[in-house]
Amino acid sequence: MTRAPANLLAVRSFLLTHLNVDPDVSRPQDLEPDEVGIVGDAQHLGGYHCGSDRVVDGDYSVVESTRDRSGLTLDASAVDVGMFTVAAGGRTHDLRSFSVWCVGECAAGAADTRDIREIIYSPDGRVVKRWDRLGKRSTGPSSHLTHTHFSFFRDSTKAGRDQTPLFRRYLTTIGLIQGDDMSAQAENEIHQVYVGLFSGGNSMGRKVDPDGTGPATASNSLVAKLDYTMLRLDAAIAQLTALSNKDFTDEQAIVAGVLATLTPEKIAAALPPTVAKEVADEIAKRLAA
């Protein structure tokens, strides 16, 4: 039986906590509990609101992505968000502006949107649009004129990954709630970059000692490796410069090497008769002198 997973129930609870301003009264301005759905009704077959017991042959929520095929369980993997209006930061915000903001973050590749497969929404209440990470579709059913649909890749639901950061960041951005608008995932990623940059770690490969016996200690951090690379590069450039200024031609050694291979017989054989006579006459003159 298709079930609502804990991580999407957490999204539902978070949105209702902050957008159902008056939970004791049902009113149009608020996001009411029946406006935030995860599991499709009994007639709903196929799509991300269904788990493995209710998908259909060729179901797009399974076959179009390896992330969905590998993550298929009894869990639904979608959240519908209904109409609301809330004032914050001196402005009025509603389902339309919320949906457009979320689509913009997905299109920009924000870290806390990586598990979102698609958003089906209406920016104006007249036209239905679809942002699809896989680029398969650009519109959707007219029912989405009054609610926005978020599909999450099934492997992220199977893993129980926290999906509240994007929605928390939205409410923080518009000023409805206070606090850090950065998700725990994004903060951890920044921390890992910082650690790798300055301290290194088990996944950073071999250690290097940038300055040999100098004050710097061996490390596998990116900074140490950059220092190591630059020092070796400077040394290589210095050696190339020295070599380019050096005269490698030793004329005396070349002459000595050539003469060492020449016997009198080879010299005589190499000389034309007229030149040989002139050389012999010159040698005789020198000997007589």
Side-chain angles (χ1 to χ4, degrees):
M1 176 175 202
T2 295
R3 60 200 177 196
N7 65 334
L8 298 189
L9 286 170
V11 171
R12 181 179 188 274
S13 177
F14 177 78
L15 291 174
L16 289 173
T17 295
H18 297 288
L19 296 176
N20 187 11
V21 179
D22 190 349
D24 297 324
V25 178
S26 179
R27 58 182 195 149
Q29 299 95 323
D30 285 359
L31 182 65
E32 303 295 345
D34 61 358
E35 294 180 302
V36 188
I38 297 174
V39 177
D41 60 27
Q43 287 72 45
H44 196 123
L45 295 177
Y48 286 92
H49 284 296
C50 296
S52 57
D53 62 327
R54 287 163 58 181
V55 297
V56 296
D57 289 342
D59 198 315
Y60 90 104
S61 73
V62 179
V63 302
E64 291 182 352
S65 168
T66 56
R67 295 189 61 181
D68 289 324
R69 286 194 295 273
S70 65
L72 181 62
T73 65
L74 283 172
D75 290 331
S77 197
V79 174
D80 284 343
V81 180
M83 302 292 287
F84 67 86
T85 301
V86 65
R91 298 180 60 185
T92 299
H93 308 273
D94 58 17
L95 178 66
R96 314 296 183 203
S97 57
F98 162 71
S99 303
V100 170
W101 184 90
C102 289
V103 168
E105 293 302 297
C106 288
D112 49 12
T113 69
R114 293 173 182 168
D115 292 330
I116 295 178
R117 154 70 198 271
E118 64 184 354
I119 300 177
I120 310 174
Y121 69 106
S122 175
D124 54 13
R126 296 186 298 273
V127 177
V128 174
K129 295 186 176 183
R130 182 187 314 230
W131 178 86
D132 185 349
R133 189 175 298 274
L134 302 183
K136 301 286 187 180
R137 299 164 188 83
S138 60
T139 187
S142 60
S143 60
H144 297 88
L145 291 172
T146 55
H147 77 271
T148 294
H149 170 95
F150 293 85
S151 296
F152 300 87
F153 284 113
R154 292 184 184 273
D155 63 350
S156 67
T157 301
K158 182 178 181 180
R161 198 136 56 231
D162 183 12
Q163 301 297 355
T164 60
L166 173 67
F167 306 103
R168 183 182 306 278
R169 189 157 62 85
Y170 169 73
L171 296 184
T172 303
T173 298
I174 66 173
L176 186 63
I177 63 175
Q178 302 299 314
D180 188 357
D181 65 351
M182 185 175 293
S183 69
Q185 177 183 342
E187 289 181 343
N188 181 64
E189 289 175 349
I190 291 173
H191 175 69
Q192 294 304 319
V193 171
Y194 177 87
V195 170
L197 187 62
F198 295 104
S199 302
N202 295 333
S203 64
M204 297 296 290
R206 70 181 182 90
K207 291 183 178 182
V208 296
D209 191 347
D211 56 357
T213 58
T217 58
S219 171
N220 62 1
S221 72
L222 290 178
V223 168
K225 290 178 178 179
L226 285 173
D227 285 345
Y228 180 88
T229 300
M230 292 307 299
L231 286 170
R232 270 52 188 181
L233 183 59
D234 288 343
I237 291 173
Q239 291 175 346
L240 287 173
T241 301
L243 289 173
S244 67
N245 294 328
K246 185 175 181 180
D247 184 3
F248 290 94
T249 304
D250 189 340
E251 292 84 354
Q252 296 298 323
I254 294 173
V255 171
V258 171
L259 291 176
T261 63
L262 294 178
T263 63
E265 293 79 8
K266 288 182 179 180
I267 295 173
L271 294 175
T274 56
V275 176
K277 182 177 184 307
E278 291 175 359
V279 170
D281 292 342
E282 182 62 26
I283 292 174
K285 288 179 183 179
R286 295 189 180 188
L287 290 175

